């Protein structure tokens, strides 16, 4: 830390992203990316866009907002486009949380929420999930806090049914409820359909997982106009050109062939179920994941040891050191071949350990 670093941030522990190794080619199942590269149309659209790279991108992001609005059946004024959904989430912490509106979210959830809270100096409460990692809706009824709920949750993959979410949203009319739908396309139920009835609902989404564009950084949020305007105030006060030309063009091209994205999601869901069955046969305990990853533990091996031994075999997964989930690894669901390689490596490791 330099002696110039503001006191405001000196205690900040930044979010630690999953490894993006350069030393060798791994089967990369650690950051929930898609195993499918973007289509030729998407690549061409981005290439075409850089031809006008001397000009700033559209600060209103109109093309992608219109395309998203059409795809989800809302008005373009009910959409904001962001640099990954992380940016939308950060704006939500900035816009809807303060001393009088602290944040609350589950103890086991996306690790960035607490970092956003710390960075924005927002007080927050972590609400323990039940022993089996399910969320008890009663903990979220009529709270005094701005709620952040990943649905499906990460890293557990567990999804909340829409009526339960609706009950939580309706019971907190004076607080914003942010529903983070980064993984919704792999078997969750989207809450976007509720925004017209729920003035306190903000739904965030991303092109990083189901649309093969993690590297392009494109996210979005849906909500009623005034909520979106609040986020836009922060966008225009920090980085009005937050979505670059190539990304905006790639996003529009990707939405134009959403059928292909859905086919990819269907393949990933099929691979998820097949891999889950194979892991259960090997003695793993898994949550009921509706996301593009599995959350798994085995009585005979610690999460860190399994992570390390898989890495030695060229397969990357994610593990955590925190007490509640140290036994677990999170395995991104890739192609059938990747999942077969994962299962075979796990089998070998367990046999070695036996
Ligand atoms: N929400 C959740 C639950 C996530 O796991 C992630 C990915 N790390 C994000 C949001 C952010 O993704 P992105 O910024 O790539 O849209």
């Amino acid at each position: 830390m330099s002696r110039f670093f503001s006191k405001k941030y000196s205690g900040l522990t930044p979010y630690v992203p999953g490894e993006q190794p350069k030393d060798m080619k791994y089967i990369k199942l650690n950051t929930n990316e898609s195993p499918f590269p973007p289509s030729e149309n998407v690549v061409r659209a981005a290439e075409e866009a850089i031809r006008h790279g001397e000009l700033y991108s559209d600060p209103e992001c109109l093309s992608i907002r219109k395309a998203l609005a059409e795809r989800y059946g809302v008005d373009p004024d009910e959409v904001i486009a962001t640099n990954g959904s992380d940016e939308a989430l950060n704006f939500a912490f900035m816009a809807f949380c303060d001393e009088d509106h602290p944040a609350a979210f589950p103890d086991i959830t996306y690790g960035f929420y607490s970092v956003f809270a710390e960075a924005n100096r927002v007080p927050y409460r972590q609400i323990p999930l039940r022993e089996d990692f399910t969320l008890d809706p009663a903990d979220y009824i009529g709270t005094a806090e701005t709620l952040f709920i990943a649905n499906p949750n990460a890293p557990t993959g567990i999804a909340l049914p829409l009526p339960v979410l609706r009950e939580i949203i309706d019971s907190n009319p004076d607080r914003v409820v942010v529903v983070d739908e980064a993984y919704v396309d792999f078997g969750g139920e989207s809450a976007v359909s509720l925004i017209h009835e729920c003035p306190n609902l903000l739904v965030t989404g991303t092109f990083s997982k189901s649309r093969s564009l993690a590297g392009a950084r494109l996210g979005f949020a849906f909500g009623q106009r005034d909520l979106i305007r609040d986020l836009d105030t922060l966008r225009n006060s920090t980085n009005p050109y937050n979505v670059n030309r190539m990304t905006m063009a790639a996003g529009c091209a990707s939405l134009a062939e959403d059928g292909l994205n859905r086919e990819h999601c269907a393949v990933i869901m099929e691979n998820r179920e097949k891999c889950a069955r194979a892991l259960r046969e090997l003695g793993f305990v898994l949550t009921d994941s509706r996301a593009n990853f599995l959350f798994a533990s085995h009585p005979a091996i610690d999460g860190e040891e399994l992570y390390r031994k898989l890495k030695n075999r060229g397969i990357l997964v994610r593990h955590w050191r925190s007490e509640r989930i140290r036994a677990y690894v999170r395995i991104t669901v890739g192609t059938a071949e990747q999942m077969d390689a994962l299962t075979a490596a796990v089998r070998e490791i367990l046999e070695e350990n036996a």
Side-chain angles (χ1 to χ4, degrees), residues 15 84-86 89 110 113 150 154 180 182-183 206 208-209 217-219:
Y15 177 71
S85 56
D86 279 338
L89 291 163
Y110 184 31
Y113 297 161
D180 172 352
Y183 299 104
T206 182
S208 296
K209 320 290 178 185
R217 312 303 301 126
L218 184 57

Side-chain angles (χ1 to χ4, degrees), residues 233-252:
T233 297
L234 293 164
R235 193 181 70 88
N236 284 318
S237 306
T238 50
N239 186 9
Y241 307 110
N242 61 332
V243 180
N244 71 62
R245 280 178 173 273
M246 291 79 79
T247 293
M248 215 169 326
C252 290

Side-chain angles (χ1 to χ4, degrees), residues 63-79:
S63 57
I64 189 68
R65 282 174 45 226
K66 278 187 174 161
L68 280 164
E70 192 170 318
R71 159 71 178 77
Y72 286 90
V74 302
D75 192 90
D77 289 349
E78 295 165 331
V79 190

